[in-house]
Amino acid sequence: MIPFLDLKSLNAQYREELIAAATQVIDSGWYIQGRLLERFESEFSDYTGARHCIGLANGLDALTLTIRAWKELGKLQDGDEVIVPANTYIASVLAITENNLKPVLVEPNEKTYNICPLNIRSAITNRTRAILPVHLYGQLADMPEIMKIAREHNLLVLEDSAQAHGASIEGRKAGNWGDASGFSFYPGKNLGALGDGGATTTSCEELSTMLNALRNYGSHEKYLNVHQGVNSRLDEMQAAMLSVKLRTLDEQTQNRRVIADVYLKNINNDNILLPLSQDQNALTFMGHVWHLFVIRSKHRDALQAHLQESGIQTLIHYPIPPHKQLAYKAWNDQSFPLTETIHREVLSLPISPLMSIEDALAVAQACNSFSVRG
């Protein structure tokens, strides 16, 4: 069986370094908001190009608390509209509704599955205050155009970079385009912790200061609570683990690009639609970090069964769009035809920094052998 993602093997390559990092934390006697968190925050802000990184408990908190911080700073208020792609994981939308703001869902670009700037423009009203672009599958949304729109209309931009660690356009990385960016370090991410974790990056000093307080019960100083905050802190252990893995992130990304290139060059089946870039340039799409390699097929379920029979594990990201979830049952009668088609057809093939070219060729061969019966 070719696994979708073998986390045990992925982390085994860092085993000695991770043990040493864990030992350092244990021996330090300091486990929350210490120097190892400060070190990782400095390293990751340097990596993204943003001035600040605020380590948080998870990726959802990174989005939710950033929006909350803007409310505390008077930049947003209840009922304001936030434009967000309909084609996304539900966390992008949860962060908006949790803050009593109104998500305005728009259709994606059919080539990239990321939010479409033309649809952003058409969705702007006098209540629009922010845009939340999601960098799906490891490819940045069209941030130059999105930032142009934001400047024209004086809108905040919060990148959802949960799948895009190191992704870039013209050398500028995810986390350094918008006013802020939320990252997830869930174990399966390109930069994954050994547990939950997240962070917000920003170059805004005021926002960084507010987030530092909100993540720690609303306090800058112990027992002095200026805001009604929460407990959402990236702990020392996970920060130490992430520092180890950050050192080789670019190397791991390059390995993913090799596997993506094999797929793009070798999968040839009229029943399968391969990923497309915004400009359809080089096969591995400069700046794409291939968190997921997502194909589409009108016969998705049959294709998945065929690949399973061929010894290949696949996953579906994601089977149900947010507006069709019971959590948002008031929206269930809304129609976003392209988003709904995408969610019916997408299938994620195995992709990993440790995957061999031979295994990638085997996946491609299995895809090519798929046919529609009857």
Side-chain angles (χ1 to χ4, degrees):
M1 172 68 72
I2 298 175
F4 179 77
L5 182 65
D6 184 355
L7 282 177
K8 183 176 179 179
S9 295
L10 270 175
N11 288 316
Q13 62 185 320
Y14 305 104
R15 180 178 175 81
E16 297 306 319
E17 292 172 275
L18 292 174
I19 290 173
T23 301
Q24 184 181 11
V25 175
I26 293 166
D27 291 347
S28 73
W30 193 287
Y31 309 119
I32 299 290
Q33 288 195 289
R35 64 181 185 84
L36 294 177
L37 174 61
E38 291 177 357
R39 182 184 71 182
F40 173 71
E41 288 175 332
S42 176
E43 292 169 346
F44 196 65
S45 62
D46 287 346
Y47 180 78
T48 62
R51 292 194 184 97
H52 307 284
C53 171
I54 303 92
L56 299 162
N58 54 68
L60 176 56
D61 280 3
L63 298 175
T64 304
L65 288 180
T66 300
I67 296 173
R68 167 77 186 282
W70 280 332
K71 290 184 73 177
E72 293 283 346
L73 292 168
K75 296 179 183 293
L76 295 172
Q77 60 184 359
D78 286 359
D80 284 346
E81 294 178 355
V82 180
I83 296 174
V84 63
N87 180 46
T88 186
Y89 183 57
I90 197 171
S92 311
V93 182
L94 288 171
I96 300 169
T97 57
E98 176 66 19
N99 280 288
N100 202 27
L101 303 181
K102 180 181 178 182
V104 176
L105 306 180
V106 302
E107 292 272 46
N109 177 311
E110 190 168 9
K111 292 180 181 179
T112 65
Y113 311 132
N114 281 328
I115 194 168
C116 175
L118 290 176
N119 292 340
I120 292 174
R121 284 190 180 277
S122 65
I124 294 173
T125 73
N126 60 5
R127 291 304 307 271
T128 305
R129 296 293 181 270
I131 308 170
L132 200 161
V134 182
H135 307 316
L136 271 184
Y137 311 149
Q139 182 173 201
L140 286 190
D142 187 355
M143 292 308 297
E145 184 62 23
I146 290 170
M147 295 309 299
K148 178 181 177 183
I149 295 169
R151 287 191 293 269
E152 289 173 5
H153 295 274
N154 194 30
L155 304 176
L156 295 165
V157 176
L158 172 57
E159 300 171 70
D160 183 338
S161 299
Q163 300 184 4
H165 312 72
S168 65
I169 294 176
E170 297 177 352
R172 187 171 177 179
K173 289 189 174 77
N176 192 29
W177 279 94
D179 298 283
S181 179
F183 286 88
S184 168
F185 303 126
Y186 181 78
K189 303 298 185 184
N190 288 27
L191 179 61
L194 272 70
D196 256 328
T200 292
T201 58
T202 182
S203 290
C204 175
E205 184 76 35
E206 184 181 42
L207 177 61
S208 175
T209 299
M210 179 63 71
L211 280 168
N212 271 288
L214 289 178
R215 72 174 176 180
N216 189 39
Y217 301 99
S219 173
H220 294 293
E221 183 179 344
K222 196 170 184 178
Y223 301 130
L224 293 178
N225 304 86
V226 181
H227 309 280
Q228 296 177 27
V230 300
N231 177 2
S232 179
R233 302 172 299 205
L234 181 65
D235 64 56
E236 289 286 283
M237 187 68 75
Q238 297 303 337
M241 303 295 181
L242 288 164
S243 284
V244 168
K245 298 176 78 173
L246 180 59
R247 295 170 200 150
T248 61
L249 178 56
D250 287 343
E251 177 186 341
Q252 301 283 296
T253 296
Q254 185 55 37
N255 293 346
R256 288 175 178 271
R257 288 176 175 150
V258 169
I259 299 305
D261 195 49
V262 171
Y263 285 158
L264 290 163
K265 287 179 176 176
N266 289 280
I267 297 175
N268 185 13
N269 186 322
D270 290 341
N271 293 302
I272 295 173
L273 178 65
L274 292 171
L276 295 171
S277 69
Q278 183 75 30
D279 55 11
Q280 300 187 63
N281 278 338
L283 284 178
T284 45
F285 311 161
M286 292 299 293
H288 200 316
V289 297
W290 297 104
H291 172 60
L292 298 171
F293 190 96
V294 179
I295 59 176
R296 280 173 59 190
S297 175
K298 295 183 185 300
H299 312 281
R300 188 264 308 281
D301 294 345
L303 173 58
Q304 185 174 39
H306 169 79
L307 292 174
Q308 180 70 25
E309 291 168 3
S310 302
I312 296 160
Q313 183 185 27
T314 60
L315 293 179
I316 298 172
H317 298 86
Y318 303 95
I320 305 172
H323 71 282
K324 295 297 184 182
Q325 297 283 357
L326 286 176
Y328 293 113
K329 59 185 177 183
W331 304 350
N332 287 177
D333 61 348
Q334 293 187 32
S335 177
F336 295 93
L338 176 55
T339 290
E340 290 156 23
T341 298
I342 289 169
H343 284 249
R344 283 195 304 269
E345 297 182 354
V346 289
L347 186 66
S348 300
L349 299 181
I351 190 163
S352 160
L354 297 184
M355 192 172 178
S356 69
I357 290 177
E358 289 74 21
D359 278 350
L361 287 170
V363 173
Q365 183 178 10
C367 287
N368 292 339
S369 67
F370 173 70
S371 61
V372 180
R373 296 183 177 91

